[in-house]
């Protein structure tokens, strides 16, 4: 299949998802409020910590850097919230998945096409205002060109990792009907080990070790370390990107495999 | 005699309907386990953050580790009580007015607000919050060698109850906005989200935020005011607690009644 045909085939999924996203503007507001509150809490907490320490924190984050980290962590999480998990699980539960099976498209790819506009809308319409608000209120660390240049591919990879995780969670709908519980567990565990709550460098040794062997570090901690220059030498920077790419590929493969297994299990009632 | 009879009737009804809900709960045990489990993870995350903060410094804004834990645990208690009884307000804000289903609560022989809330008493997540909150508060109090007198022990349930009433009043007022806007879910969500600030010492925050959380959306009175009294004997805020609770409940009921008065059915 050549690229233009693929584009033509999957573009409708993207535009339909974009339209429904813009239809429900109140969810955008909710996203903005959640991110603003979460950032506010974290920032106030860590400001108090810095006030009580004269020698800075381990991991080498100074206050503007940590503020930037906490803020951008929420924004990355916002753009990774692509709704793929709830939509796939919902289709499985309602039985609509049968219709999707009839379409001559690759289902995971169609889901990716539908998830991408959600990410972009969240990042621009929700993330950008929150970023501007805090940039106005608090001193942030100015990014370097190198940082930005490394951050962009890393953020793109984080979208793929986030998509893979969400698709796998959504496909869990084939195994359990209580997908709501699975999603709650995912939300807190992933957020924590991604470094969305606290940079991995500030975690106690054993927790940091666990975080480093999980794919989730590539969602937040990896991209932000690259942006803020928290690595020793180009080799380590490349290492972060390579590990991310490897996890992205592994998760995509796992999702494709899970999808193939899941389709064999499909049972749809009525007709 | 009339008011006493009314209170007795509502109490009996609440008791009966709670029993019905408990039956449903035993029917859907998995939901309970998941709800409680999800909550434990969320609280676990908060505890981890507090733990990591205190790995770096012994004291933040005048509070030590166990004092912050005490506050965090205590903040879950009024939240749990509130969640046990008022979770229906979320559904009201999201769709009951919009879909026109709200009329159902107007034709029952009880107060419409009671009719709405009683449809789902004893929401299971509330138990999780209460148990976790009590455990954390107990542990922290024990570590701090807190020795409350009998007066404070008697006061404790009252403090939790007032906190729960404040939370319920805020939720009621914002849910009742849907009578004007048909869907007030985002507003309710935003107001509720600000409540997250109440689990940490207010001394951490910028004075403007502190003022907002004390006098505008008085989440300060649900945990910070009682905890600063129990831990430090501070009474400056606590003395306002009865006034704030009463005023807020009155305000919420006023908004509610105004809203019900202007409610028009969609017709069918």
């Amino acid at each position: 299949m050549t690229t233009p045909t693929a584009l033509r085939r999957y573009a409708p999924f993207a535009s339909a998802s974009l339209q429904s996203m813009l239809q429900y503007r109140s969810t955008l507001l909710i996203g903005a409020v959640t991110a603003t509150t979460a950032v506010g809490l974290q920032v106030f907490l860590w400001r108090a910590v810095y006030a009580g320490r004269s020698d800075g924190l381990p991991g080498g984050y100074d206050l503007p850097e940590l503020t930037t980290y906490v803020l951008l962590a929420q924004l990355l999480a916002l753009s990774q919230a692509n709704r793929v998990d709830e939509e796939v699980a919902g289709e499985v539960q309602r039985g609509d998945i049968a219709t999707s099976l009839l379409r001559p498209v690759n289902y995971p790819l169609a889901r990716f096409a539908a998830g991408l506009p959600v990410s972009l809308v969240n990042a621009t319409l929700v993330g950008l205002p929150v970023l501007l608000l805090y940039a106005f209120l608090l001193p942030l660390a100015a990014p370097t060109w190198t940082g930005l240049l490394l951050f962009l591919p890393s953020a793109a990879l984080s979208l793929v990792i986030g998509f893979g995780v969400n698709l796998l969670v959504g496909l869990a709908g084939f195994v359990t009907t209580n997908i709501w519980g699975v999603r709650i567990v995912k939300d807190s565990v992933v957020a924590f080990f991604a470094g969305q709550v606290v940079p991995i460098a500030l975690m106690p040794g054993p927790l940091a070790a666990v975080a480093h062997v999980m794919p989730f570090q590539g969602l937040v901690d990896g991209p932000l370390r690259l942006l803020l220059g928290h690595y020793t030498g180009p080799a380590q920077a490349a290492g972060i990107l390579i590990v991310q790419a490897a996890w992205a590929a592994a998760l995509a493969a796992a999702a494709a495999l899970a999808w193939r297994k899941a389709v064999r299990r499909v049972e749809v009632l009525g007709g | 005699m009339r008011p006493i009879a009314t209170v007795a009737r509502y109490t009996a009804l609440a008791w009966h309907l709670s029993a019905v809900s408990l039956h449903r709960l035993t029917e859907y045990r998995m939901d309970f386990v998941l709800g409680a489990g999800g909550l434990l993870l969320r609280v676990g995350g908060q505890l981890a953050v507090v733990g990591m903060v205190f790995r770096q410094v012994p004291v933040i804004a005048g509070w030590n580790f166990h004092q912050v834990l005490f506050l965090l645990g205590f903040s879950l208690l009024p939240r749990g009580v509130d969640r046990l009884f008022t979770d229906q307000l979320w559904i009201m804000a999201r769709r009951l007015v919009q879909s026109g289903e709200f009329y159902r609560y107007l034709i029952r022989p009880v107060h419409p607000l009671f009719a709405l809330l009683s449809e789902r008493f004893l929401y299971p997540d509330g138990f999780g919050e209460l148990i976790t909150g009590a455990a954390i508060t107990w542990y922290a109090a024990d570590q701090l060698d807190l020795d409350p007198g009998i007066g404070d022990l008697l006061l404790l349930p009252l403090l939790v109850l007032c906190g729960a009433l404040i939370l319920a009043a805020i939720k009621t007022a914002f849910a009742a906005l849907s009578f004007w806007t048909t869907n007030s879910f985002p507003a309710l969500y935003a107001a509720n989200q600000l409540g997250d600030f109440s689990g940490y010492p207010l001394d951490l925050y910028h004075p403007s935020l502190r003022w907002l959380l004390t006098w505008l959306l008085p989440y300060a009175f649900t945990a910070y005011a009682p905890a600063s009294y129990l831990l430090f004997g501070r009474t400056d805020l606590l003395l306002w607690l009865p006034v704030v609770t009463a005023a807020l409940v009155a305000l919420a009921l006023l908004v509610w009644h105004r809203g019900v008065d202007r409610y028009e059915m969609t017709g069918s």
Side-chain angles (χ1 to χ4, degrees), chain A residues 31-41 74 130 133-134, chain B residues 197:
Chain A
V33 172
T34 312
T36 311
T37 325
V39 173
L41 255 179
Q74 290 298 326
V130 176
L133 171 76
Y134 276 104
Chain B
F197 282 109

Side-chain angles (χ1 to χ4, degrees), chain B residues 59-109:
Chain B
V59 173
I60 52 166
W63 294 60
N64 68 28
F65 175 58
H66 288 109
Q67 287 163 341
V68 172
L69 269 194
F70 184 89
L71 174 63
L72 193 63
F74 190 94
S75 74
L76 294 173
L77 299 176
R79 269 212 246 176
V81 175
D82 167 61
R83 203 188 296 267
L84 280 182
F85 292 105
T86 69
D87 222 66
Q88 280 287 104
L89 290 169
W90 286 103
I91 297 170
M92 150 131 192
R94 197 197 271 275
R95 60 152 219 265
L96 288 181
V97 173
Q98 197 168 32
S99 67
E101 285 170 82
F102 181 78
Y103 82 92
R104 277 194 283 146
Y105 307 101
L106 294 175
I107 55 177
R108 289 182 192 166

Side-chain angles (χ1 to χ4, degrees), chain A residues 158-243:
Chain A
S158 84
L159 286 186
V160 179
I161 298 177
F163 169 76
V165 173
N166 276 352
L167 185 60
L168 282 172
V169 169
L171 290 177
F174 281 105
V175 193
T176 163
T177 48
N178 215 326
I179 193 69
W180 182 79
V182 180
R183 274 182 50 209
I184 289 206
V185 172
K186 180 212 86 175
D187 280 345
S188 29
V189 172
V190 168
F192 188 81
F193 286 107
Q196 185 189 325
V197 190
V198 177
I200 294 180
L202 288 181
M203 293 182 184
L207 271 181
V210 175
H212 275 301
V213 295
M214 293 229 225
F216 312 128
Q217 47 148 338
L219 290 171
V220 175
D221 196 75
L224 292 182
R225 270 170 70 201
L226 290 175
L227 181 71
L228 297 170
H230 277 256
Y231 49 82
T232 48
Q236 204 183 13
I240 295 177
L241 277 172
I242 290 169
V243 169

Side-chain angles (χ1 to χ4, degrees), chain B residues 70 140-153 230-231:
Chain B
F70 184 89
D142 186 53
Q143 293 292 314
L144 287 165
D145 283 326
L146 223 56
D147 190 21
I150 186 82
D152 282 354
L153 280 180
L230 294 168
L231 292 172

Side-chain angles (χ1 to χ4, degrees), chain A residues 73-160:
Chain A
Q74 290 298 326
L75 302 190
L76 275 174
L78 253 178
S79 47
Q80 288 148 8
N82 48 25
R83 287 204 208 149
V84 167
D85 49 349
E86 48 181 297
E87 285 188 0
V88 172
E91 281 203 351
V92 172
Q93 234 158 30
R94 289 190 304 267
D96 296 349
I97 197 91
T99 329
S100 296
L101 284 173
L102 295 175
R103 297 199 181 111
V105 292
N106 177 317
Y107 184 74
L109 274 182
R111 276 294 144 204
F112 185 67
L116 218 47
V118 180
S119 293
L120 293 180
V121 168
N122 270 333
T124 49
L125 294 187
V126 184
L128 221 52
V130 176
L131 178 69
L132 290 176
L133 171 76
Y134 276 104
F136 177 69
L137 289 174
L138 299 168
L140 299 176
T144 58
W145 283 110
T146 335
L148 271 179
L149 221 61
L150 289 169
F151 173 74
L152 286 177
S154 180
L157 282 172
S158 84
L159 286 186
V160 179

